[in-house]
Amino acid sequence: MLRSASGRAYLAFCQDTIRDAILDRLRQSGHKGDRQAHSPDYVARCVSDARAQGFAFRDPDFGGDFNEPRSAVDDARDSLAVPIRLAEHVPAALNVTWSRKVFRRDLARAQFASAVQDAAADIAQAMNAG
């Protein structure tokens, strides 16, 4: 949840009680990839960055394996995710993944961020109508 773009987007915008429950569960985990849940500064930075941008990027050290750093496992991709918001409820996040050989983050932000935000808003509107 703290390393992937979709997990970060979800955590940043979900209800506080849900975020707290997820973080408590991650803190109890024995998985290496969940260790950052023990760092309040790391968690706060993930949440504040995503909220300020309206989307989240995956952790720069996340190479596709939730327990290993990018130096050990590198899928050569990066991701950006946007929460699908129904008022205070976040049922999901919409994720876009690309090859780092094709796009740097700044280019991906320019190319994808607003389109993915618009798509997430359209999905939320359709869910509210249904």
Side-chain angles (χ1 to χ4, degrees):
M1 292 295 285
L2 287 170
R3 296 179 48 134
S4 70
S6 55
R8 286 175 165 202
Y10 183 86
L11 282 174
F13 292 93
C14 70
Q15 294 168 309
D16 292 343
T17 55
I18 293 172
R19 181 181 319 99
D20 292 343
I22 291 169
L23 290 170
D24 284 344
R25 179 81 124 176
L26 294 176
R27 288 182 194 112
Q28 295 172 28
S29 166
H31 297 286
K32 291 189 293 185
D34 296 332
R35 288 183 187 157
Q36 293 292 358
H38 293 279
S39 171
D41 291 340
Y42 179 87
V43 172
R45 188 175 60 251
C46 289
V47 169
S48 66
D49 287 352
R51 287 180 177 173
Q53 298 175 129
F55 61 87
F57 282 117
R58 65 167 41 178
D59 187 292
D61 192 44
F62 178 54
D65 186 292
F66 285 94
N67 290 310
E68 299 299 329
R70 188 179 290 276
S71 60
V73 178
D74 188 357
D75 61 8
R77 298 181 299 185
D78 207 344
S79 299
L80 175 150
V82 173
I84 297 172
R85 299 170 72 179
L86 304 176
E88 298 297 316
H89 179 60
V90 177
L94 188 59
N95 189 73
V96 174
T97 299
W98 63 89
S99 169
R100 290 190 331 266
K101 291 180 182 178
V102 177
F103 286 105
R104 295 185 322 261
R105 273 194 177 182
D106 59 334
L107 295 175
R109 177 190 318 244
Q111 288 278 307
F112 303 135
S114 65
V116 178
Q117 287 170 320
D118 291 346
D122 289 347
I123 292 168
Q125 184 177 13
M127 290 176 77
N128 278 325

